[in-house]
Amino acid sequence: MTTGADAETPWHEVATLAQLDPDFPIGIEVQGQKIGLFLLGDAVHAIEDVCPHAYALLSQGFQEDGVIECPLHAARFDIASGKCLTEIGQRDLHCFPVRVQQGQVQLQLQRQAKDRA
Ligand code: FES
């Protein structure tokens, strides 16, 4: 999804679409930022990968019905919006603009402001 993309900000190729699985996210690191890539339907989402509670990697968690559950203490987050769904998660996750071009998944590192209402 390219919502929040900035024409001035470079895109980073981080994976191929073929690497993504609708049931299993993958974790990547771009310029020191750990980011999780998720496939929901035919849309790719990129959200911060480190759980705000105690720093487990969410990409090693359990993905189901558009929600990622932290593998350590079961905080749950909405993948499309980054919204925190359980108190233990502490806060919403930052999302990153992402797009797919010729089978390559690309993202921008600036964080995306989303309506969390
Ligand atoms: S580290 Fe994620 S819920 Fe505790």
Side-chain angles (χ1 to χ4, degrees), residues 51 53 58 62 68-77 86 88-89:
C51 181
H53 176 237
L58 295 168
F62 310 99
I68 185 68
E69 181 179 289
C70 179
L72 207 51
H73 309 106
R76 293 164 58 86
F77 301 89
T86 50
I88 194 170

